Amino acid sequence: MYEIGLLQVAGAALVLLFFVLLNILLSSSMNTELIVENTDDYAITIPKVFFEVSNNYQQSVMKWQDQYSRGVCLFAGHRYKSSADDPSVFSSTVFPSNSKQQPSVGNGYLATVIYSNTVYVNGLYNGKGTSSHRARVPSTAAITASLQESPVSASHFYILDVAKGVFVHQITTGDVKVSHTTYAHQVLNRLLVNQIIISRTSNKSDEVTVKLDTNSLPNSTDINFKENPLKDNIRSMQGGIIVPEHDSTQVVTAYVYWTDVPSCITLPKDVSARQYNFITSISKTSGDEAYYFYTEGLKMTANNELYQNHVAAWETKWRNGHIDIDNVYLSRIIYSTMYYILSSLPPLNTTGRLDFPFYGLAPGGLANGGGNQDYMGHVFWDQETWMYPPILLFHPNLAKSMLSSRTRHIDAARNIAKCNGYNGTMYPWEMAYSGYDVCPDRTVGKFEQHVNGDIAYALQQYVRMTEDVQFLLEENGFDLAKGLAEFWYSRVYNISMTKYGVMGVMPPDEYHENVNNSVYTNMVAKISLLLPKQLAQMLNTSVPECWSDVGNQMYIPYDSSLKYHPEYDGYQLGTVVKQADAILLQFPLMYDMPDDVQVNDLLLYETYKGKPVTNPDGPAMTWAMFTINWLKLKNFTKAYDVFNKTFANIQEPFMTWTENPDGTGAVNFQTGMGGFLQTITFGFGGIRIKSCLEFDFVLPPKSTTFNITGLNYLSSSLNFVARETSLSITLTEDNYRSIIPSLQLIVSKTETYDLKLGKTVKIARVPARICKKQNV
Ligand SMILES: *[C@@H]1O[C@H](CO)[C@@H](O)[C@H](O)[C@H]1NC(C)=O
Ligand SMILES: *[C@@H]1O[C@H](CO)[C@@H](O)[C@H](O)[C@H]1NC(C)=O
Ligand SMILES: *[C@@H]1O[C@H](CO)[C@@H](O)[C@H](O)[C@H]1NC(C)=O
Ligand SMILES: *[C@@H]1O[C@H](CO)[C@@H](O)[C@H](O)[C@H]1NC(C)=O
Ligand SMILES: *[C@@H]1O[C@H](CO)[C@@H](O)[C@H](O)[C@H]1NC(C)=O
Ligand SMILES: *[C@@H]1O[C@H](CO)[C@@H](O)[C@H](O)[C@H]1NC(C)=O
Ligand SMILES: *[C@@H]1O[C@H](CO)[C@@H](O)[C@H](O)[C@H]1NC(C)=O
Ligand SMILES: *[C@@H]1O[C@H](CO)[C@@H](O)[C@H](O)[C@H]1NC(C)=O
Ligand SMILES: *[C@@H]1O[C@H](CO)[C@@H](O)[C@H](O)[C@H]1NC(C)=O
Ligand SMILES: *[C@@H]1O[C@H](CO)[C@@H](O)[C@H](O)[C@H]1NC(C)=O
């Protein structure tokens, strides 16, 4: 697997060079056109097996290789031996025609699959109730560039650079280079930008014409768009969605401003280079807002600020959190999965006009989910249980945005509980815009209720990582915890005097509906019932004791003769299950059990009497949890064996994920990506978020260093460098209240260290934990 990966990387070798722009002048004829002298961005080293490149060009590549320098090197702290080792650049000489392999750009407000005719906007859905799906905004940003007179020797490269958050199409001949960059702006988050630079690479000075084709229809079956008359080169349209999701929701209107795209652009004779910017601005708040962002973007095209500001924001994001392993194949998966999830979440800085309400992360990300595809962009437990944990480790603010997609709908959840005869808040299995149930499968929608415990668990982990009292008190976090406990309190039934269970649910294993006492569901109900009291202690207040009393008495099904956890009442050994279920008790839920019981659960739910129990063709995230749990047991043979199953879901060249290993199911399957990132952090990193932050680093296969940079614990930032025999920990930011030093590294009772800002502590690579320094 790894060897194949490496060959693929080598085959697509390329180098990214420093972007140098000199003497940029604003052209008077067209606002969005810049004249550039001397540009270079991506230069390409092409293996000889493909085709020859001119001497001149090779020399320029060599020259630039000397000065090789780029974002990923800056934040990874070292240079890669060659460009093929750079894990943040994905490239191909052809753009895949299979939509499952096509990459996307996004910023949490909007997103698009490259060259597709559609843009999706966070929270913009069309369709009543269970037919609610992402509303299609016809893309005004899907531009394909080609040379009008294209010599046979013209070469094409398609590059996804996740360090910079851009997609680049590069056309090169001996004389000309066209660099077409598409990005969803990381600061001005209502914008999609196409930047095209035409530059000369030889002394030939002929006119060069680049054809621009657009891939858009003026209409949408989801939104009644009306286009306005063209004004100053700017086109605009607006329209309301056709059918609102729920009686309680209004018709949402989308407003679009975009630069008119001509059918061709020309580099005049004797001009050495020219840059063009085509901007699309979308707002679902107002036309004024769309226009404001459009003009802000336009202003920033001068001095190339628009592009640089975008790249700087991505680089800051990566600098604040990244993982490096000297196994290139794994590193490529880490960077790409992190990129796809981050590009469906809001940017880090959303102050003032940049802010927007976040409606949640769907299994296919923001770039997918139209029609009846990719779960229609609905939000499931996938958000809290799969994508959220690795994001929480690095970006607590983004984790909070995900939780806010739930607090935003507390009223809807209260109504849902009431309609079903329960108290508190009951979140639906699938939600979209209104917070009301939009699950098209009525059986699943009715029975799969564990999402209400998954949300509580995510909140508990958030509070342990951040102690964010403000979120609890001022942003409905505490209300969320109380509402969920109240729901489960009204939902449980009395098995005996001291035993409570939950009847009639569908567990994560969706092959079984309407079962009693799903072990996973009971466990998350227990967590939900215990959470408010834990929070109340922190907040110096109190909550009804009955919640925690029942929580302490939740029935967790256990077979004491076979020493394993039956998935539900009456589960028969060998019954095939869809995906990881009972084994989730170990991780993520951290339920304490003896090692032999852990082993039994892992073995009995993998195969029974030689036959698979967990469907080997099931969804991508399952094997991540098996891997994490085997790693905890230090059984590396089993861990690597199951870890290996993850890779089948990844589609080259841009490392998109399909839901199932045979290429079927939802794309671009972020649930599987989240599972993979958890394997790295919670599996190989051994991280556990308890009353302290625990970890137990293991080097991933074929690696000698494993670094986690920018882990954010209690407002402090930590770097970890794990090697064969050592673990180094550096505190790079210390903001925990005003107690300094605030954190302590505890290896054993007798080996403890105060973590001091900027100082590295080096210990043996053994389990350890970082705790708040008490009583200082
Ligand atoms: C291009 O022009 C420069 C300066 O006039 C000259 O030094 C160089 O040799 C020329 N290159 C080619 C490939 O003709
Ligand atoms: C959209 O416009 C195209 C071209 O004008 C037309 O063929 C198509 O039927 C229209 N579709 C809808 C849904 O109006
Ligand atoms: C991890 O960090 C160390 C120390 O900065 C560095 O020497 C090593 O190359 C890094 N490993 C990777 C894979 O980036
Ligand atoms: C966030 O963006 C605003 C507006 O662009 C800017 O004024 C502010 O300095 C930024 N804050 C940070 C922390 O970068
Ligand atoms: C809901 O709460 C009310 C008032 O506390 C209580 O009377 C009722 O029994 C509760 N309903 C359920 C289903 O627990
Ligand atoms: C559960 O049942 C026992 C009796 O079997 C009773 O004493 C207890 O109050 C019940 N608890 C609730 C919450 O109904
Ligand atoms: C769940 O429990 C109820 C009440 O005891 C019972 O009627 C029902 O058959 C049980 N369901 C299953 C699947 O065992
Ligand atoms: C709770 O009480 C402690 C001790 O009096 C105090 O330090 C802390 O700030 C209080 N917390 C809140 C959220 O009020
Ligand atoms: C790992 O687990 C398998 C299956 O239980 C077992 O056969 C093997 O001996 C274990 N290996 C180690 C090193 O514990
Ligand atoms: C992963 O599986 C492939 C076969 O599918 C095998 O060739 C490879 O050695 C395995 N890798 C590991 C690390 O187990």
Side-chain angles (χ1 to χ4, degrees):
M1 198 80 203
Y2 304 115
E3 283 73 17
I4 292 166
L6 277 166
L7 282 176
Q8 282 163 338
V9 182
L14 64 113
V15 180
L16 169 70
L17 300 173
F18 234 16
F19 196 85
V20 182
L21 287 171
L22 302 171
N23 302 329
I24 299 167
L25 304 165
L26 199 61
S27 148
S28 55
S29 63
M30 190 179 174
N31 272 345
T32 49
E33 177 186 342
L34 291 172
I35 297 175
V36 192
E37 284 180 16
N38 192 4
T39 96
D40 213 326
D41 44 358
Y42 294 83
I44 299 152
T45 42
I46 299 155
K48 282 241 160 70
V49 283
F50 290 111
F51 42 79
E52 295 292 331
V53 291
S54 74
N55 263 344
N56 181 28
Y57 191 68
Q58 272 179 342
Q59 272 162 16
S60 81
V61 168
M62 309 239 302
K63 188 181 103 202
W64 281 106
Q65 259 170 344
D66 290 343
Q67 303 175 25
Y68 177 57
S69 165
R70 56 164 314 187
V72 73
C73 296
L74 297 179
F75 56 73
H78 68 95
R79 285 165 169 239
Y80 291 100
K81 286 192 290 290
S82 77
S83 54
D85 288 344
D86 187 330
S88 65
V89 175
F90 303 84
S91 67
S92 174
T93 51
V94 287
F95 188 78
S97 56
N98 182 343
S99 63
K100 292 182 189 299
Q101 297 169 311
Q102 295 169 353
S104 55
V105 293
N107 56 28
Y109 190 85
L110 45 74
T112 190
V113 170
I114 295 298
Y115 299 130
S116 80
N117 62 18
T118 298
V119 178
Y120 291 121
V121 178
N122 158 56
L124 188 63
Y125 293 86
N126 176 47
K128 193 165 183 62
T130 59
S131 54
S132 176
H133 55 276
R134 288 205 194 284
R136 176 178 172 264
V137 176
S139 179
T140 52
I143 300 174
T144 309
S146 58
L147 282 171
Q148 182 143 47
E149 282 156 40
S150 188
V152 188
S153 66
S155 68
H156 290 259
F157 257 72
Y158 298 88
I159 303 147
L160 177 70
D161 181 341
V162 305
K164 291 182 155 58
V166 298
F167 180 82
V168 183
H169 170 210
Q170 194 164 87
I171 312 170
T172 336
T173 71
D175 301 319
V176 179
K177 180 156 74 185
V178 178
S179 255
H180 172 197
T181 305
T182 306
Y183 57 98
H185 207 281
Q186 257 305 296
V187 180
L188 297 175
N189 54 51
R190 273 69 160 179
L191 302 187
L192 269 169
V193 184
N194 279 279
Q195 171 195 270
I196 301 174
I197 298 173
I198 315 174
S199 58
R200 300 189 190 280
T201 53
S202 76
N203 289 351
K204 238 175 134 187
S205 65
D206 304 4
E207 195 173 89
V208 181
T209 297
V210 173
K211 278 200 302 173
L212 303 179
D213 290 304
T214 52
N215 176 16
S216 84
L217 295 170
N219 51 20
S220 159
T221 49
D222 294 324
I223 302 173
N224 274 318
F225 275 114
K226 293 235 166 7
E227 189 171 346
N228 308 311
L230 184 74
K231 195 163 165 267
D232 304 331
N233 229 7
I234 308 173
R235 294 175 70 178
S236 64
M237 63 181 178
Q238 65 282 317
I241 56 157
I242 291 166
V243 188
E245 185 174 296
H246 189 264
D247 303 335
S248 71
T249 56
Q250 306 157 322
V251 169
V252 179
T253 302
Y255 305 86
V256 187
Y257 280 82
W258 76 102
T259 319
D260 190 37
V261 180
S263 60
C264 65
I265 47 181
T266 302
L267 182 66
K269 202 167 170 357
D270 296 327
V271 175
S272 69
R274 211 168 244 203
Q275 180 187 136
Y276 298 80
N277 286 282
F278 301 98
I279 301 175
T280 284
S281 175
I282 306 179
S283 165
K284 63 186 177 65
T285 304
S286 67
D288 282 353
E289 184 177 275
Y291 186 71
Y292 168 80
F293 275 85
Y294 184 90
T295 52
E296 285 300 294
L298 198 59
K299 277 187 230 158
M300 285 176 75
T301 58
N303 305 319
N304 211 32
E305 257 182 72
L306 188 62
Y307 174 80
Q308 281 167 357
N309 181 267
H310 164 79
V311 170
W314 264 105
E315 287 186 351
T316 300
K317 206 171 202 172
W318 286 116
R319 206 170 273 117
N320 285 357
H322 58 96
I323 303 168
D324 294 286
I325 299 175
D326 56 349
N327 170 329
V328 176
Y329 182 65
L330 288 183
S331 259
R332 280 162 49 80
I333 305 174
I334 291 168
Y335 274 96
S336 53
T337 51
M338 197 76 148
Y339 164 78
Y340 284 119
I341 296 177
L342 287 175
S343 58
S344 286
L345 289 171
L348 292 186
N349 184 357
T350 52
T351 51
R353 294 193 78 153
L354 304 176
D355 198 15
F356 59 87
F358 184 64
Y359 282 87
L361 192 51
L366 182 54
N368 299 289
N372 57 7
Q373 300 286 300
D374 308 314
Y375 296 110
M376 299 149 97
H378 295 172
V379 178
F380 298 66
W381 77 315
D382 304 49
Q383 170 172 252
E384 281 80 8
T385 303
W386 301 95
M387 289 81 114
Y388 168 95
I391 296 300
L392 172 63
L393 294 179
F394 296 106
H395 303 294
N397 274 341
L398 301 184
K400 187 168 83 170
S401 294
M402 290 191 236
L403 293 175
S404 76
S405 73
R406 301 297 186 175
T407 51
R408 173 161 299 109
H409 294 308
I410 277 186
D411 289 342
R414 237 181 260 294
N415 286 338
I416 296 171
K418 203 186 284 170
C419 284
N420 286 284
Y422 304 121
N423 289 335
T425 55
M426 181 183 184
Y427 285 84
W429 178 240
E430 300 180 25
M431 65 169 206
Y433 175 64
S434 66
Y436 285 94
D437 182 15
V438 292
C439 179
D441 183 323
R442 293 324 299 152
T443 304
V444 177
K446 179 171 172 202
F447 291 112
E448 200 155 3
Q449 297 170 9
H450 61 80
V451 61
N452 289 285
D454 304 327
I455 297 169
Y457 186 60
L459 176 58
Q460 184 209 58
Q461 296 278 290
Y462 176 75
V463 175
R464 286 181 181 174
M465 282 300 278
T466 63
E467 293 188 356
D468 185 348
V469 169
Q470 184 182 325
F471 176 71
L472 293 176
L473 294 181
E474 288 161 37
E475 296 166 55
N476 296 325
F478 194 36
D479 288 342
L480 179 65
K482 288 190 288 187
L484 293 167
E486 211 182 338
F487 163 70
W488 286 111
Y489 183 71
S490 67
R491 181 69 180 81
V492 298
Y493 77 107
N494 210 332
I495 300 176
S496 72
M497 193 108 88
T498 54
K499 226 157 103 179
Y500 293 84
V502 181
M503 233 190 279
V505 297
M506 175 179 270
D509 162 23
E510 291 171 326
Y511 292 164
H512 298 95
E513 69 212 34
N514 199 5
V515 300
N516 295 338
N517 295 312
S518 136
V519 70
Y520 178 85
T521 307
N522 284 15
M523 191 63 213
V524 293
K526 181 185 176 82
I527 290 169
S528 312
L529 286 159
L530 296 175
L531 179 62
K533 190 171 174 180
Q534 294 160 10
L535 301 182
Q537 277 161 2
M538 199 177 132
L539 301 171
N540 303 329
T541 179
S542 63
V543 292
E545 284 295 321
C546 58
W547 296 341
S548 47
D549 286 349
V550 170
N552 282 320
Q553 294 172 30
M554 277 308 290
Y555 164 55
I556 305 300
Y558 176 64
D559 182 326
S560 53
S561 58
L562 292 170
K563 298 179 89 175
Y564 90 109
H565 291 93
E567 192 185 287
Y568 47 82
D569 281 357
Y571 176 81
Q572 299 293 310
L573 280 180
T575 306
V576 173
V577 311
K578 183 181 171 190
Q579 61 192 69
D581 186 309
I583 68 133
L584 300 176
L585 251 50
Q586 303 172 32
F587 188 85
L589 301 184
M590 303 193 284
Y591 182 50
D592 263 338
M593 62 180 91
D595 284 2
D596 60 334
V597 178
Q598 254 181 286
V599 169
N600 289 344
D601 280 351
L602 291 170
L603 292 177
L604 289 171
Y605 286 104
E606 190 185 343
T607 50
Y608 184 66
K609 296 194 168 158
K611 291 216 180 85
V613 175
T614 299
N615 184 352
D617 300 321
M621 64 282 194
T622 288
W623 305 110
M625 291 303 155
F626 276 93
T627 309
I628 294 170
N629 290 324
W630 281 118
L631 284 169
K632 176 78 176 20
L633 289 161
K634 302 271 185 257
N635 187 326
F636 300 112
T637 317
K638 286 300 294 177
Y640 289 180
D641 183 40
V642 280
F643 184 44
N644 207 359
K645 299 189 190 192
T646 316
F647 306 118
N649 300 65
I650 304 171
Q651 310 287 326
E652 295 280 0
F654 299 114
M655 297 224 150
T656 48
W657 283 55
T658 54
E659 182 173 8
N660 303 317
D662 62 358
T664 62
V667 284
N668 183 359
F669 197 52
Q670 304 212 338
T671 314
M673 299 183 192
F676 176 82
L677 287 171
Q678 291 190 55
T679 310
I680 300 298
T681 49
F682 299 95
F684 292 103
I687 295 172
R688 296 291 183 276
I689 306 166
K690 298 191 178 174
S691 59
C692 294
L693 184 77
E694 303 182 358
F695 41 88
D696 181 6
F697 279 77
V698 166
L699 296 178
K702 300 189 181 170
S703 67
T704 62
T705 60
F706 169 19
N707 300 349
I708 293 185
T709 306
L711 191 144
N712 197 314
Y713 182 53
L714 296 171
S715 310
S716 301
S717 185
L718 293 156
N719 296 350
F720 297 82
V721 177
R723 296 183 197 275
E724 193 58 46
T725 57
S726 69
L727 175 65
S728 302
I729 297 167
T730 314
L731 182 71
T732 59
E733 258 180 59
D734 189 354
N735 298 321
Y736 181 62
R737 307 233 172 109
S738 46
I739 312 162
I740 289 184
S742 59
L743 298 177
Q744 194 170 43
L745 172 66
I746 302 175
V747 184
S748 68
K749 272 213 174 75
T750 52
E751 189 184 356
T752 64
Y753 304 86
D754 282 351
L755 290 177
K756 296 195 182 116
L757 199 59
K759 289 260 174 349
T760 299
V761 178
K762 190 168 177 181
I763 60 172
R765 187 168 56 75
V766 292
R769 62 188 196 276
I770 291 175
C771 304
K772 277 181 280 184
K773 208 163 143 58
Q774 305 291 349
N775 312 318
V776 177

